[in-house]
Structures are given as structure tokens and as C-alpha cells.
Amino acid sequence: MPTYTPPTKDMQYLLHDVLNVSARDIPGYDELDRDFTNAILEEAGKLATNVLQPLNTVGDAQGCTLENGVVRTPEGFKAAYDEMRAGGWTGLDMDPEYGGQGMPNIMLTSTGEMFSAANMAFQMYNGLTHGAMSAIHAHGSEAQKATYLPKMIAGDWSGTMNLTEPQCGTDLGLIRTKAEPQDDGTYAITGQKIWISAGEHDMTDNIIHLVLAKIPGGPEGVKGISLFIVPKFIVNEDGSLGERNALSCGGLEHKMGIHGNATCVMNYDGAKGYLIGEVNKGMRAMFTMMNEARLAVGTQGYAQGAVAYENALGFALDRLQGRDVTGVKAPEKAADPIIVHPDVRRNLMDQKSFVEGARAFAFWGATLIDEAHRNNSKEAEDMISLLIPVLKGFLTDKGFETTVLAQQTLGGSGFTQEWGLEQFVRDARITMIYEGTNGIQSLDLVGRKLGLNGGKTVMDFFALVKGFIKENEGNADLKTGFLDPLKTASKDLQAAGMYFMAEGMKNPNNALSGSYDFMHLFGHVCLGLMWAKMAKASMAALDAGDTDTEFHETKIATGRYYMARQLPMTGTHLARITSGAEPVMALEAANF
């Protein structure tokens, strides 16, 4: 049976020793002192450990069932949801005007990691509602916000996002769902949506669907898409629930993982819908919350890696097999624990160095979202927009890889259901696909984000890295193990960008063929920067006489491992990028 221990100590270290949140000039951050954030994280950790984690294997084994149009969630899910709702977790960062607690995104990200690590399928119900709430808050009318947000924030109602249809996913311009205008100002929504997470379930009284559809006679493609609120039950003027809307769950998907989440085929048969935002501006409204949503998916990715690593480590400390080649370590036992073996250590260090670096990267991303929204900072908005494809794509790719490494640590036991590692692998796999496949993330990064503000934003990133290196080059301990490797990796990233500029205009495929490698190259540089910042913080803590020497020395050693064993991958990615499109495009389609 797998275990989960919330990493509250590491989170506190990031918040206060590395990011220094309480001193940041961002509204609401002055309240984030150590005692306050510790109280939030400790309570979230208890909920994750005591309530959500025991249901993870239950949800995986039972899945959801569809009976006469009603979806039943796994045993215990509704009670767990009621407990989460009672604790106010469903509205943690939402507007206090509508009943939310108004906390910064950094707290949503940190608690969200714990909830996802404990039970990813369960946390997805909250994640979809959060996205719907954000869209309504940003684009809804005052009446719409007053009607839907209080109930959704309180957790009485949940929400979904309806984009994909059988014939289209990424290319939403091909959607066929129609929105026919009605005399009363509403719209009749007709069409089918697929892969709708939490589309139907038994945990809330109402489900507020946000549906992309086309009004007949509008522009072709994505320019003709509008966004509609389509509630499962019509909400009366007094706030009570009225008749059932003309929508239904037509089936549940049978999936590789996240069995505890209801992934639905949703049928709309002239359902009553309410336009949100402007006509034909649905894509803009839907993508308002995309930075936050993709950061949340990146967090899911490394969170599965984190819980998988915890269980792999526990196994490696206990499993007896073979002897240490340098000398017996447990003479009283029949064999030594497998953690004595260098290749097992390599495996575990790959996991540990990624998870802790990824957590720092995600937390930094959350502070940028807070700065963008709370300070109305265009610079922060542009920087997080640049980094989001990397946060989503790199962290989920490597998060999945980490679950596989953890599974490998257990050998044959990792392949069996009893130990739980195979569930982490299966659950993590979806993070590389939804909210835009990672291939799409890489194309977004190279095709759109590198050119943001005429290239100024990516140059700002390079300046940020260069500035950190220059500011700390007098620190000899930091320079050799951290700053020098970071400088080399950053130069690789800049060289890749220059290659795209020089060759992409001649042949766009030269850039697009290297986009995936560029996303990973960028990700390694970001984690290298995070490890350099963590090493600086831990070295400073040790110099200041911090008594927790084991924690800080472990942090520095883990960072040195990443810089020495993982960061050099930037050279490999650069070599792949500069090979151009020819090796990728050489075969005719018929020759594959």
C-alpha cells in the first residue's frame, strides 16, 4: 500500500528561504509569514494524508459508473468532497466578494500539489471547477457572477470546460456544436463534446458547464466561436434549482488512469445556454485562465513524480539484495538494502533532483501569476506566458519519467498493483496530453512565445539568468558547482534561439522540428536556475548558523547532482536542434 508524506518543510523552505514571499511587493503577500503559510500547509497536508490518499487506490479500483444517465463516483469520494468543501478549500484563492478566501495563487499551487499527489483523480474535480470559476469571474456579467460564483466557490456546485469534439481537439475551429439564438436572449446549444472531465457526477447539486459553440452565420474557424454557460439544472431567479437542462452524459471513457474521475461524453440537445463575454470571442474567454490551468497540470505532473519517489525511496531503504561492493553495510542481515548500490542511487537521485527542482520552478511560476494579476504587471504576465509551455510540457514529461524511474526502483514489485507504483505511472500519463499536448506546448513556445514583444521577453529571461550569475560570481562555492554549469546551459539555450532566428525564416520546419528539444532545453535551464537559487539560500543559511545542517547540506548535494548529471543534457538538445529539419522530414509519408 503506497504512502504519502506532505513535503511541508520543503515548501516552507521555498516560500521563505528561496522566494522570500512575505517580503515581496505583491498585494496579499505581506500576510504570508512563516506561521500563516505553515498553518495552511499543515491543514492541507492532513486532508491530503488522512482523507484523500486512502481513497486513491479505491478510486483506481472502482472507477466511476454510469447508470440511467447518473454517474456514481467511487466509494468515499462524496464524503471527502464534503470535507474539502467544509474546510473552504474549494474557494482558497477566489474573490472574497463571492465567498472566496482571496489567497494568492502560490498557496493554491502549493496545496494543489499535495492534493494531486495524494489523489490526482479526485483533485481534478476541483481543478475543472476552478477553471470555470475563473472564466466566469473574468468574463461573466455581474448577474452571472452573482448567480454562479458563490455556489461554485462554496463547493455546492461544480464546473467543467467543454472544448473537444469527436472530429477536433487542438484545431477548435472545426467544432460543430451550434448555439441557436432564442427570443428570450438565451441560446439553444446542440452538439457533442468528448473527454469532459467531471462532466457528470454525484458530488454536487449542480454542474455548471462552460461550452464552446458557434452561432450560425458567424465567421469561419476560431473567429466564430462563442462561450456559453450551460447549467445541468436551470437556476431560477431566486437562486433555487429549476428544471433539468437538455443535456446528458452519453458515456464514460475507459482510460489508462485517473479512473476515479468521470471523463464523459456530453450530449447537448437544445440545452439552454447563456452567452458569457462577447459574441465570437469565446476563445479569448476560454483561454483567460489557461496560464493557471497549465501551471496546475505541470504541478500534477511533478506531484505524481514526488509521491512515486517517496515510495521508491522507502522500498530502497528496506529491500535487501546483494552486498555493497565497497564493504558489507548490514552484516547482521542476509543482504544490504538496495540503496547501497550506485545504480539505485543514480535512479533515486534523478527522481529527487527533478522533483525538488520542479517544485521550485512551479512555485516561481505561481509568484509570477500573482504579480501579473495583483500588480497588473505586464512584465510578469509576459514572463509567465513565455514559461507556461515549459512548465506544462517539461514538468509533465519529466514527471511521468520520474514515476517510471520510481517503478523501476521496485523491480518486479513496481509492476504489480499491490505496491501502487504502476498507478502513479498510469495517472501521470494524462498530464502530457490534456490542456494541450506537450507537442503543442513546444510549438506554442517556439512559434508564438519566443517572438513575444518582438523577442524582448525571452531576452528578459536571459538577462535574469545572466544577472543572477553576475550578482553571485564572487561566491566561489556557488560558482564552480552551480553558476558555471548554468552559464553553459544558458548559452546553449541562446544558441538554439539564434539558430531558429537564422534558419526558421528560410525553412519553418527547421524551427518546428527542434521545438520539442527546445522546450526541454529551456526546462533544464529553468531547473538549473532554481537549483542555483536553492544552493545560494542553503549556503547562506549554513553561514548564518542554521542548525538544520543536514537539510541544507542535502539540498546543496542534490543540486550539485542535477547540475552535473542532468543539466548537461542541454548540449544534446542543442545538437538535435541544429541538425535541422532534414533528418526529421527525410521520409515520404508512404515510407514510414
Side-chain angles (χ1 to χ4, degrees):
M1 185 73 175
T3 62
Y4 176 62
T5 304
T8 51
K9 183 176 182 179
D10 199 51
M11 289 181 173
Q12 284 284 81
Y13 164 76
L14 290 175
L15 291 173
H16 300 289
D17 296 343
V18 180
L19 297 172
N20 197 17
V21 291
S22 60
R24 296 283 298 275
D25 187 21
I26 300 174
Y29 270 44
D30 57 330
E31 300 177 0
L32 301 182
D33 58 41
R34 287 182 184 269
D35 289 341
F36 180 80
T37 58
N38 187 65
I40 297 296
L41 295 177
E42 287 292 332
E43 288 305 310
K46 291 176 184 177
L47 181 63
T49 304
N50 300 331
V51 178
L52 303 186
Q53 193 273 336
L55 294 175
N56 199 35
T57 55
V58 174
D60 187 57
Q62 292 184 6
C64 297
T65 58
L66 174 62
E67 299 176 0
N68 299 320
V70 177
V71 172
R72 305 294 182 192
T73 52
E75 182 180 348
F77 268 46
K78 189 177 189 308
Y81 183 82
D82 288 343
E83 192 162 343
M84 177 168 276
R85 180 176 61 177
W89 299 104
T90 51
L92 188 70
D93 69 324
M94 299 307 295
D95 191 341
E97 181 179 348
Y98 301 101
Q101 299 188 48
M103 291 189 194
N105 185 272
I106 184 64
M107 298 312 299
L108 180 74
T109 297
S110 54
T111 56
E113 179 199 323
M114 289 191 274
F115 298 152
S116 292
N119 194 326
M120 180 175 152
F122 179 91
Q123 175 61 6
M124 286 173 63
Y125 291 97
N126 296 316
L128 271 297
T129 302
H130 188 276
M133 289 191 295
S134 296
I136 293 171
H137 188 269
H139 295 281
S141 66
E142 292 303 316
Q144 288 172 338
K145 288 188 281 188
T147 298
Y148 299 106
L149 288 181
K151 289 288 190 179
M152 296 175 76
I153 288 171
D156 298 334
W157 300 348
S158 59
T160 70
M161 315 293 285
N162 284 237
L163 290 78
T164 306
E165 298 182 8
Q167 76 285 351
C168 69
T170 301
D171 190 355
L172 289 170
L174 299 177
I175 67 170
R176 297 172 184 162
T177 299
K178 294 188 303 182
E180 297 276 0
Q182 303 298 296
D183 293 339
D184 62 357
T186 64
Y187 292 78
I189 310 298
T190 302
Q192 184 180 80
K193 299 288 184 177
I194 62 171
W195 304 338
I196 307 306
S197 300
E200 172 64 33
H201 57 82
D202 58 357
M203 297 196 298
T204 58
D205 296 332
N206 203 4
I207 301 174
I208 311 304
H209 300 284
L210 294 193
V211 182
L212 289 180
K214 290 184 175 181
I215 300 171
E220 293 295 319
V222 295
K223 293 182 179 180
I225 295 176
S226 300
L227 182 63
F228 301 88
I229 296 173
V230 189
K232 176 181 175 180
F233 289 97
I234 302 299
V235 181
N236 297 322
E237 289 188 8
D238 63 359
S240 63
L241 296 183
E243 64 181 8
R244 172 73 182 252
N245 210 347
L247 60 91
S248 61
C249 174
L252 292 175
E253 302 291 352
H254 300 282
K255 303 163 295 186
M256 176 179 176
I258 54 168
H259 295 159
N261 192 269
T263 306
C264 303
V265 175
M266 296 301 300
N267 295 321
Y268 295 89
D269 301 306
K272 181 173 287 189
Y274 307 87
L275 178 70
I276 176 172
E278 300 176 44
V279 170
N280 299 329
K281 301 294 184 182
M283 293 298 292
R284 184 175 68 180
M286 181 64 83
F287 282 94
T288 293
M289 76 302 298
M290 200 52 70
N291 282 348
E292 293 182 28
R294 287 177 173 167
L295 173 60
V297 174
T299 301
Q300 289 177 346
Y302 82 77
Q304 291 304 292
V307 67
Y309 164 68
E310 174 186 328
N311 285 271
L313 175 61
F315 185 91
L317 291 168
D318 292 338
R319 175 71 167 176
L320 302 179
Q321 191 163 306
R323 289 296 189 185
D324 189 333
V325 295
T326 64
V328 174
K329 292 296 186 291
E332 75 285 2
K333 297 179 181 179
D336 289 332
I338 64 172
I339 199 168
V340 304
H341 304 306
D343 192 60
V344 173
R345 292 287 188 96
R346 172 201 59 78
N347 195 330
L348 292 170
M349 286 297 285
D350 280 350
Q351 298 170 53
K352 179 178 175 65
S353 64
F354 165 72
V355 165
E356 294 179 13
R359 180 177 294 125
F361 186 22
F363 279 28
W364 176 40
T367 65
L368 289 171
I369 287 175
D370 284 329
E371 186 174 357
H373 292 177
R374 291 170 176 253
N375 280 341
N376 197 28
S377 168
K378 185 178 186 304
E379 291 79 7
E381 180 68 35
D382 290 342
M383 184 60 70
I384 191 60
S385 294
L386 170 69
L387 295 177
I388 276 297
V390 187
L391 281 157
K392 195 279 183 184
F394 183 71
L395 295 192
T396 59
D397 274 354
K398 301 297 285 188
F400 173 73
E401 180 182 311
T402 299
T403 65
V404 174
L405 290 173
Q407 185 184 38
Q408 188 72 15
T409 307
L410 273 68
S413 298
F415 198 65
T416 64
Q417 293 182 348
E418 176 186 359
W419 291 85
L421 270 293
E422 57 87 36
Q423 183 187 347
F424 300 138
V425 173
R426 290 185 288 105
D427 285 353
R429 186 63 183 87
I430 186 59
T431 64
M432 302 160 71
I433 298 172
Y434 61 16
E435 289 295 344
T437 64
N438 287 356
I440 294 297
Q441 301 303 318
S442 71
L443 295 179
D444 177 47
L445 175 63
V446 171
R448 294 179 63 244
K449 300 302 176 58
L450 284 187
L452 197 62
N453 296 318
K456 180 182 181 299
T457 304
V458 74
M459 295 305 296
D460 287 345
F461 175 82
F462 290 138
L464 187 154
V465 175
K466 183 178 180 180
F468 178 82
I469 293 172
K470 185 175 182 179
E471 176 187 337
N472 296 284
E473 59 188 359
N475 185 331
D477 292 336
L478 196 63
K479 184 177 187 302
T480 303
F482 292 90
L483 300 184
D484 288 347
L486 178 59
K487 181 185 292 185
T488 299
S490 181
K491 287 181 177 179
D492 287 342
L493 184 62
Q494 293 178 63
M498 293 299 291
Y499 173 82
F500 288 153
M501 289 178 62
E503 299 296 328
M505 294 299 291
K506 300 175 186 177
N507 179 3
N509 282 339
N510 282 329
L512 300 181
S513 296
S515 61
Y516 212 94
D517 279 287
F518 187 80
M519 181 177 71
H520 275 245
L521 200 169
F522 210 145
H524 279 299
V525 172
C526 288
L527 260 65
L529 176 62
M530 293 300 101
W531 272 117
K533 286 179 175 287
M534 286 187 280
K536 177 184 178 180
S538 284
M539 289 176 183
L542 291 172
D543 289 344
D546 192 313
T547 58
D548 198 352
T549 56
E550 184 177 22
F551 175 88
H552 292 294
E553 289 174 354
T554 298
K555 188 66 71 174
I556 294 167
T558 305
R560 289 187 187 280
Y561 178 90
Y562 191 89
M563 306 304 273
R565 298 284 299 234
Q566 292 295 324
L567 195 57
M569 280 299 298
T570 60
T572 298
H573 290 301
L574 177 60
R576 291 174 178 171
I577 289 167
T578 54
S579 71
E582 196 279 329
V584 176
M585 306 300 292
L587 294 182
E588 295 294 333
N591 294 333
F592 275 84

